[in-house]
Amino acid sequence: MELRHLEQFLAVAEEGSFTRAAARLHLVQSALSVSIRSLERELGVRLFDRNTHRVELTDTGRALVPAARRTLAAADAARDVVAAVQGGLRGTIRIGIMHSLSLIDLAGLLTDFHRDWPEVRLIPQAAQGGSSELANEVAAGRLDLAFAALPDGYPSGLAVRALASEQMLLACPPGDALGRRRVIELHELDGKRFVEFPSGWGTRVAADRLFLRGGLQREIAVEVADIPNVTDLVTAGFGFAFLSPSMITRRKGLVLRRVRPGPEFVVSMITANAQPLSAAAQALVDLVSERYPELPRHH
């Protein structure tokens, strides 16, 4: 069994399309189809159900996906070991990042890492579904590691290292009576209208769980996947919003107040327990761990 056949199988499985997978792999579609048929003949099974509209994994194909990922990861690890013995790290690290990550100096970390290991290719990528999607991508083996900000409830099988935290503040619409208070009690927000981030974002998850624990409700009037737009809507009087202070780039016109009890924003580094890290990815994890000692866990 050739590794390239497994790589091409995974591309089709992840894209759900021979056309998109061929474009991703820079292959002509006919060559990709021949490769998949060759793998199916070698294994003696059908891996995909094909019709004119879509391509779907068979039960056997779905079972092969995690094994294929582990095999390719092991091959990458073997190459990394040889490269390290020869005097330098090589390879690719796929890094999941949030849309705003100011609480830690990720740019500085990646710059220093690249200076020490210039042969390693770094691929940072964000996820529209926020921290929840990043966690799922790491668990599925599509990312080597990620920086996420879920308050808890990470998928099983992930190693979670809390790096930095801060208390989220409540942004109040101008002129609202609560904005004249230094500290706002959470129950006073019951039934209030909010500008919110999408449901998978860590800030949204933290706020949702805070209200759920308090037996309170709020009206989510609009969801916006962009921090400046959230602050603009609040300052225009649309509603309240919970914001992490490190995310805020424009404070003009914002009225920020502490809420008691309030949600916490915790940035963590996550990796998959079942997925062995390449030598390059482990070196990056070691650098992050050196710069940011793990925060104590709350009980």
Side-chain angles (χ1 to χ4, degrees):
M1 185 183 303
E2 297 186 33
L3 292 176
R4 66 183 176 90
H5 287 164
L6 290 179
E7 181 183 8
Q8 291 160 6
F9 159 73
L10 279 180
V12 178
E14 291 168 358
E15 297 293 341
S17 161
F18 276 83
T19 301
R20 291 193 296 270
R24 167 175 151 182
L25 296 167
H26 306 291
L27 293 174
V28 296
Q29 188 171 331
S30 58
L32 179 58
S33 297
V34 168
S35 174
I36 296 300
R37 284 198 295 270
S38 174
L39 180 60
E40 289 177 324
R41 281 197 303 271
E42 184 174 358
L43 296 174
V45 296
R46 192 175 74 256
L47 298 173
F48 296 99
D49 285 326
R50 308 164 175 84
N51 59 42
T52 56
H53 300 294
R54 63 181 185 273
V55 175
E56 293 183 347
L57 285 162
T58 62
D59 290 342
T60 305
R62 277 189 289 273
L64 179 60
V65 166
R69 288 194 179 119
R70 287 194 297 270
T71 300
L72 291 173
D76 286 341
R79 296 188 191 99
D80 291 343
V81 168
V82 172
V85 170
Q86 292 177 336
L89 288 180
R90 291 178 176 83
T92 298
I93 310 176
R94 300 157 299 164
I95 308 161
I97 60 173
M98 294 179 289
H99 289 264
S100 178
L101 187 55
S102 303
L103 198 53
I104 65 171
D105 183 15
L106 181 62
L109 283 166
L110 297 186
T111 299
D112 291 346
F113 184 87
H114 179 69
R115 184 192 60 237
D116 292 340
W117 307 109
E119 297 299 318
V120 176
R121 184 185 179 201
L122 302 172
I123 306 180
Q125 54 193 80
Q128 193 63 30
S131 292
S132 295
E133 183 178 341
L134 290 174
N136 290 332
E137 291 291 287
V138 172
R142 289 186 285 271
L143 291 173
D144 297 298
L145 66 143
F147 298 94
L150 294 177
D152 51 44
Y154 282 94
S156 61
L158 292 182
V160 181
R161 182 185 181 90
L163 306 177
S165 69
E166 63 182 351
Q167 200 72 20
M168 293 166 62
L169 299 176
L170 182 73
C172 303
D176 190 281
L178 289 178
R180 294 193 288 271
R181 307 266 299 281
R182 292 184 62 188
V183 179
I184 299 167
E185 300 297 329
L186 180 64
H187 67 83
E188 296 178 276
L189 298 174
D190 193 25
K192 295 292 187 180
R193 185 171 64 187
F194 273 73
V195 179
E196 265 299 355
F197 298 102
S199 58
W201 286 40
T203 46
R204 168 69 178 275
V205 174
D208 284 348
R209 292 180 184 172
L210 181 70
F211 273 74
L212 182 64
R213 286 195 300 268
L216 306 173
Q217 294 184 336
R218 69 198 196 283
E219 176 193 351
I220 298 174
V222 64
E223 292 184 353
V224 182
D226 179 81
I227 294 163
N229 280 335
V230 170
T231 58
D232 287 347
L233 285 165
V234 172
T235 55
F238 200 91
F240 295 87
F242 276 111
L243 295 170
S244 179
S246 65
M247 290 181 173
I248 305 169
T249 56
R250 300 198 306 264
R251 296 199 175 210
K252 185 177 180 180
L254 270 183
V255 178
L256 298 170
R257 295 293 181 262
R258 189 162 61 88
V259 174
R260 187 170 51 202
E264 190 178 14
F265 183 73
V266 182
V267 173
S268 298
M269 176 174 61
I270 54 177
T271 56
N273 289 326
Q275 186 81 10
L277 289 172
S278 67
Q282 185 62 58
L284 179 56
V285 167
D286 291 344
L287 176 62
V288 174
S289 301
E290 176 186 325
R291 297 280 178 88
Y292 294 93
E294 186 172 12
L295 297 177
R297 296 182 182 273
H298 297 295
H299 298 285

